[in-house]
Amino acid sequence: AIIHKNGGNFESWVNFSQAGSFMKRLDVTASGYWKTHFVFNRLSKSAVKSHLGKTSCELIIANAIVPFIFTMAQRRGQTEIQSEVLKLLSGLSVEHNSLLTHWRAAGVMADNEGEAQALVYLTQNYCVRSKCLHCRIGHLVINDQRDKG
Protein backbone atom coordinates (compact mmCIF):
# COMPACT_ATOMS: atom_id res chain seq x y z
CA ALA A 1 0.00 0.00 0.00
CA ILE A 2 2.87 2.38 0.83
CA ILE A 3 4.67 1.69 -2.44
CA HIS A 4 1.44 1.88 -4.43
CA LYS A 5 0.42 5.21 -2.86
CA ASN A 6 3.84 6.78 -3.34
CA GLY A 7 4.60 5.43 -6.79
CA GLY A 8 7.58 3.30 -5.75
CA ASN A 9 9.97 6.21 -6.32
CA PHE A 10 12.22 5.96 -3.28
CA GLU A 11 14.48 8.67 -4.66
CA SER A 12 11.87 11.24 -3.69
CA TRP A 13 11.98 10.10 -0.05
CA VAL A 14 15.44 11.62 0.33
CA ASN A 15 13.96 15.10 -0.08
CA PHE A 16 11.88 14.80 3.10
CA SER A 17 13.50 15.82 6.37
CA GLN A 18 10.61 16.07 8.81
CA ALA A 19 8.80 13.24 10.52
CA GLY A 20 5.46 14.75 9.52
CA SER A 21 6.35 14.36 5.84
CA PHE A 22 7.05 10.67 6.32
CA MET A 23 3.97 10.21 8.48
CA LYS A 24 1.83 11.54 5.59
CA ARG A 25 3.47 9.13 3.18
CA LEU A 26 2.84 6.26 5.59
CA ASP A 27 -0.82 7.21 6.04
CA VAL A 28 -2.19 4.32 4.03
CA THR A 29 -4.97 1.81 4.43
CA ALA A 30 -4.56 -1.80 3.37
CA SER A 31 -6.88 -3.25 0.74
CA GLY A 32 -10.06 -5.04 1.76
CA TYR A 33 -8.33 -8.44 1.69
CA TRP A 34 -6.12 -7.47 4.66
CA LYS A 35 -9.14 -6.49 6.76
CA THR A 36 -9.92 -10.19 7.11
CA HIS A 37 -6.42 -11.67 6.78
CA PHE A 38 -3.28 -11.33 8.87
CA VAL A 39 -1.45 -14.05 6.93
CA PHE A 40 -1.82 -14.99 3.24
CA ASN A 41 -4.61 -17.48 2.55
CA ARG A 42 -5.65 -17.73 6.21
CA LEU A 43 -8.86 -16.02 7.29
CA SER A 44 -8.45 -14.21 10.62
CA LYS A 45 -10.74 -15.01 13.52
CA SER A 46 -11.29 -11.32 14.23
CA ALA A 47 -11.12 -8.11 12.24
CA VAL A 48 -7.60 -6.97 11.42
CA LYS A 49 -6.59 -3.34 11.76
CA SER A 50 -5.85 -2.12 8.25
CA HIS A 51 -4.38 1.29 9.06
CA LEU A 52 -0.94 2.04 10.51
CA GLY A 53 -0.95 3.79 13.87
CA LYS A 54 1.52 6.48 14.95
CA THR A 55 3.77 4.01 16.79
CA SER A 56 3.96 1.68 13.78
CA CYS A 57 4.77 4.61 11.49
CA GLU A 58 7.54 5.80 13.81
CA LEU A 59 9.02 2.28 13.93
CA ILE A 60 9.03 2.10 10.13
CA ILE A 61 10.69 5.52 9.96
CA ALA A 62 13.34 4.59 12.56
CA ASN A 63 14.10 1.07 11.35
CA ALA A 64 13.65 1.31 7.57
CA ILE A 65 13.39 4.82 6.18
CA VAL A 66 16.14 6.52 8.21
CA PRO A 67 18.76 3.80 7.56
CA PHE A 68 17.82 3.73 3.85
CA ILE A 69 18.11 7.49 3.38
CA PHE A 70 21.23 7.72 5.55
CA THR A 71 22.95 5.02 3.48
CA MET A 72 21.92 6.62 0.18
CA ALA A 73 23.23 9.99 1.36
CA GLN A 74 26.45 8.42 2.67
CA ARG A 75 27.14 6.73 -0.67
CA ARG A 76 26.60 10.04 -2.45
CA GLY A 77 28.64 12.10 0.00
CA GLN A 78 25.57 14.14 1.01
CA THR A 79 26.57 14.95 4.58
CA GLU A 80 23.80 17.54 5.02
CA ILE A 81 21.13 14.91 4.34
CA GLN A 82 22.88 12.52 6.74
CA SER A 83 22.73 15.18 9.47
CA GLU A 84 19.08 15.97 8.75
CA VAL A 85 18.01 12.34 8.87
CA LEU A 86 19.81 11.87 12.22
CA LYS A 87 17.99 14.95 13.56
CA LEU A 88 14.76 13.34 12.38
CA LEU A 89 15.61 10.17 14.30
CA SER A 90 16.31 12.12 17.48
CA GLY A 91 12.86 13.72 17.19
CA LEU A 92 10.96 10.41 17.30
CA SER A 93 9.47 8.85 20.43
CA VAL A 94 11.45 6.05 22.08
CA GLU A 95 10.23 2.61 21.10
CA HIS A 96 9.32 0.12 23.80
CA ASN A 97 11.04 -3.25 23.72
CA SER A 98 12.64 -5.69 26.14
CA LEU A 99 16.18 -4.63 25.25
CA LEU A 100 15.50 -1.01 26.22
CA THR A 101 13.70 -2.22 29.35
CA HIS A 102 16.97 -3.88 30.44
CA TRP A 103 18.88 -0.65 29.83
CA ARG A 104 16.31 1.31 31.89
CA ALA A 105 16.65 -1.21 34.72
CA ALA A 106 20.40 -0.54 34.65
CA GLY A 107 19.73 3.19 34.93
CA VAL A 108 20.35 4.12 31.29
CA MET A 109 17.45 6.04 29.76
CA ALA A 110 17.03 6.88 26.08
CA ASP A 111 15.50 10.32 25.64
CA ASN A 112 14.67 9.84 21.95
CA GLU A 113 14.69 7.19 19.25
CA GLY A 114 18.20 8.15 18.14
CA GLU A 115 19.54 7.27 21.58
CA ALA A 116 17.40 4.12 21.66
CA GLN A 117 18.88 3.00 18.33
CA ALA A 118 22.37 3.64 19.71
CA LEU A 119 21.64 1.39 22.71
CA VAL A 120 20.31 -1.33 20.38
CA TYR A 121 23.49 -1.03 18.31
CA LEU A 122 25.73 -1.26 21.38
CA THR A 123 23.86 -4.30 22.65
CA GLN A 124 23.95 -6.16 19.34
CA ASN A 125 27.54 -5.32 18.46
CA TYR A 126 29.24 -5.44 21.86
CA CYS A 127 27.14 -6.96 24.66
CA VAL A 128 25.77 -9.94 22.73
CA ARG A 129 29.20 -10.67 21.27
CA SER A 130 30.95 -10.38 24.66
CA LYS A 131 33.19 -7.57 23.39
CA CYS A 132 33.01 -5.56 26.61
CA LEU A 133 36.62 -4.42 26.44
CA HIS A 134 36.05 -2.96 22.96
CA CYS A 135 33.10 -0.88 24.20
CA ARG A 136 33.69 2.31 26.16
CA ILE A 137 30.77 1.60 28.48
CA GLY A 138 31.85 -2.00 29.06
CA HIS A 139 35.42 -0.90 29.63
CA LEU A 140 34.32 1.68 32.24
CA VAL A 141 32.11 -0.87 34.03
CA ILE A 142 34.87 -3.47 34.16
CA ASN A 143 37.45 -0.96 35.40
CA ASP A 144 34.99 0.34 38.00
CA GLN A 145 34.34 -3.20 39.27
CA ARG A 146 38.06 -3.93 39.36
CA ASP A 147 38.72 -0.72 41.35
CA LYS A 148 36.00 -1.63 43.87
CA GLY A 149 37.23 -5.20 44.26
Side-chain angles (χ1 to χ4, degrees):
I2 294 168
I3 294 170
H4 177 74
K5 177 184 176 188
N6 295 290
N9 181 7
F10 291 107
E11 185 71 31
S12 66
W13 288 68
V14 174
N15 299 323
F16 290 87
S17 62
Q18 297 177 344
S21 300
F22 290 114
M23 296 295 258
K24 287 178 187 172
R25 285 186 161 221
L26 295 173
D27 185 21
V28 296
T29 302
S31 67
Y33 177 84
W34 295 109
K35 291 180 182 178
T36 57
H37 292 77
F38 188 73
V39 177
F40 283 112
N41 298 322
R42 189 179 307 151
L43 194 63
S44 297
K45 294 178 183 175
S46 59
V48 177
K49 186 177 174 184
S50 61
H51 191 267
L52 291 173
K54 182 179 184 249
T55 302
S56 295
C57 287
E58 287 189 346
L59 285 171
I60 291 170
I61 291 169
N63 293 297
I65 295 171
V66 166
F68 173 76
I69 293 174
F70 186 88
T71 301
M72 272 183 67
Q74 186 178 38
R75 287 180 169 219
R76 295 175 178 175
Q78 298 170 313
T79 55
E80 290 175 19
I81 292 176
Q82 288 177 276
S83 296
E84 287 298 314
V85 81
L86 290 178
K87 284 181 199 172
L88 169 70
L89 191 62
S90 67
L92 297 175
S93 304
V94 178
E95 65 183 279
H96 299 285
N97 62 41
S98 61
L99 192 145
L100 294 174
T101 301
H102 289 296
W103 279 104
R104 275 192 300 280
V108 179
M109 309 292 189
D111 292 330
N112 59 60
E113 186 58 22
E115 292 178 5
Q117 289 293 317
L119 292 174
V120 169
Y121 176 86
L122 287 174
T123 303
Q124 292 174 343
N125 290 282
Y126 293 96
C127 303
V128 171
R129 297 178 182 183
S130 298
K131 293 191 173 195
C132 306
L133 292 176
H134 299 281
C135 170
R136 286 187 178 186
I137 296 171
H139 198 264
L140 288 171
V141 169
I142 290 171
N143 282 338
D144 185 52
Q145 292 300 314
R146 187 177 57 200
D147 292 344
K148 287 180 182 177

